[in-house]
Amino acid sequence: MENNSHPLYFNLTMFVYIGKFRYLAFVLFLLLYTFIISANLVIIVVISREKTLHEPMYIFIMCLSINSLYGSGGFFFRFLRDLLSDSNLIARSACYTQIYIIYTYASYELTILGIMAYDRFVAICQPLHYHSKLTSRVISKLLAFAWIYPAFSVAACVYLASRLPLCGNKIPKVFCANWPVVKLSCVPTVINNIIGMFVSVTTVFLPLAFVLYTYMRIFLVCRKRSSLFKSKVIQSCLPHIVTFVNYSITVFCDVALSRIDLEELNPFLGIILSLEFVVIPPILNPLMYGLKLPEIRKCILRNLSCLIR
């Protein structure tokens, strides 16, 4: 009875048998993961080494890159292994560990984006108070909250899910996720649903609402200013806006996928939509900030030229 209600393994059923093409898929995803590591490491190294970039906005960008390495590592290590494996079974402990890593990664991304929106709001709408409001102490407190709260709130969700007696072990995704596990429960999941809703509101919807609010305020300020001021604001905020919009779409896709019957979808479409959540943001973030922000771009080019010489 213990083994039936608490299975030792979960079966990730979204993997499609592609025969010898799995080796090609493995190489492509390995190259993709290598690019994610390299691009984000470049951002981290450049910002940490260049004293001119030791400002709040760039510190937050570096935190995004660190989070990208954290989240993509939690996904790719297992995913690459599964591509070459004949069995897509994952141990119970490994599954809950992956759930924790991926969900904290998602929460960190949103809380950091919320802090970055506050940074841009103060810089544009209250420029004279920028250095008094965003001191090193304030930045440390904001980042501490952005890391600590999701770590404990997601841990509570994962712990509650791990205590549930389950009536199956099939997870219709290419990685472990909390809601598909909870749906396997043999008993009512009222507490899980309440805690999950609270965590979702505080780590997803509140940061999203705050970002929308700050940009509405920034838009109202820009309406009354010159074209030169507007162009500078766009240059400063565009990477953050693109990152925010992209991540909102990926989160929406993941939430939508968790609420529908994935077996009714085309399997390849289901896999693509699942992968978008953990693959696209770690790729897009360093590209947007490395290419769009002139300060980071100049530092990257200068370091590359030094290496070539």
Side-chain angles (χ1 to χ4, degrees):
M1 181 66 185
E2 182 69 19
N3 288 336
N4 291 333
S5 60
H6 296 282
L8 297 177
Y9 294 91
F10 288 101
N11 185 13
L12 303 174
T13 61
M14 282 294 288
F15 280 95
V16 179
Y17 179 74
I18 54 177
K20 293 182 179 179
F21 288 105
R22 62 183 178 175
Y23 299 106
L24 176 61
F26 175 84
V27 172
L28 292 176
F29 278 103
L30 180 60
L31 290 174
L32 183 65
Y33 183 43
T34 303
F35 173 80
I36 289 173
I37 293 174
S38 303
N40 284 284
L41 278 178
V42 167
I43 297 294
I44 294 169
V45 171
V46 167
I47 293 176
S48 61
R49 288 184 59 184
E50 295 290 336
K51 292 184 179 180
T52 57
L53 299 180
H54 291 180
E55 298 180 9
M57 180 174 69
Y58 303 113
I59 298 299
F60 300 145
I61 292 171
M62 184 173 68
C63 289
L64 276 182
S65 289
I66 293 172
N67 190 47
S68 293
L69 293 178
Y70 168 71
S72 59
F75 167 71
F76 273 101
F77 283 139
R78 180 73 203 189
F79 180 71
L80 291 171
R81 175 185 170 182
D82 284 335
L83 284 175
L84 298 180
S85 176
D86 294 325
S87 172
N88 301 124
L89 297 177
I90 180 171
R92 178 185 178 86
S93 59
C95 184
Y96 287 119
T97 299
Q98 188 178 59
I99 290 173
Y100 180 78
I101 293 174
I102 290 179
Y103 277 65
T104 49
Y105 149 75
S107 301
Y108 293 152
E109 192 85 3
L110 288 167
T111 51
I112 294 170
L113 286 173
I115 294 173
M116 293 176 73
Y118 175 70
D119 171 76
R120 292 299 84 204
F121 166 73
V122 176
I124 294 169
C125 300
Q126 302 171 357
L128 298 178
H129 302 284
Y130 182 78
H131 292 291
S132 62
K133 285 194 172 185
L134 281 166
T135 62
S136 58
R137 187 174 181 180
V138 171
I139 293 170
S140 299
K141 288 182 178 180
L142 289 173
L143 288 176
F145 175 79
W147 293 108
I148 293 172
Y149 177 72
F152 284 98
S153 59
V154 173
C157 292
V158 175
Y159 173 76
L160 289 173
S162 68
R163 302 286 294 175
L164 291 172
L166 306 179
C167 291
N169 71 335
K170 292 183 179 180
I171 299 177
K173 292 179 81 73
V174 293
F175 58 87
C176 288
N178 192 63
W179 181 244
V181 172
V182 172
K183 287 198 294 186
L184 295 172
S185 174
C186 302
V187 298
T189 58
V190 177
I191 296 178
N192 297 72
N193 295 336
I194 293 174
I195 298 298
M197 183 63 67
F198 176 77
V199 172
S200 297
V201 169
T202 54
T203 62
V204 178
F205 296 108
L206 283 182
L208 291 178
F210 180 73
V211 172
L212 290 174
Y213 168 77
T214 55
Y215 274 104
M216 181 183 69
R217 293 286 302 273
I218 290 172
F219 173 76
L220 293 175
V221 169
C222 289
R223 277 177 40 181
K224 304 175 183 179
R225 305 298 290 272
S226 65
S227 299
L228 180 62
F229 179 84
K230 292 176 183 177
S231 64
K232 289 182 178 179
V233 169
I234 291 173
Q235 185 183 56
S236 173
C237 295
L238 183 61
H240 184 262
I241 293 173
V242 172
T243 303
F244 169 70
V245 171
N246 166 71
Y247 202 73
S248 299
I249 293 172
T250 59
V251 169
F252 172 78
C253 288
D254 185 70
V255 172
L257 283 173
S258 67
R259 304 294 170 174
I260 63 176
D261 186 1
L262 290 176
E263 295 180 355
E264 297 179 358
L265 280 179
N266 180 290
F268 289 102
L269 177 61
I271 291 172
I272 291 172
L273 292 176
S274 295
L275 290 176
E276 181 186 21
F277 173 61
V278 289
V279 173
I280 300 300
I283 295 174
L284 186 64
N285 290 352
L287 289 178
M288 286 304 304
Y289 291 109
L291 297 177
K292 287 295 182 182
L293 292 181
E295 294 81 2
I296 295 180
R297 186 171 65 246
K298 290 176 184 176
C299 291
I300 291 174
L301 293 175
R302 185 167 65 248
N303 281 274
L304 287 175
S305 63
C306 292
L307 289 174
I308 294 173
R309 292 174 185 175

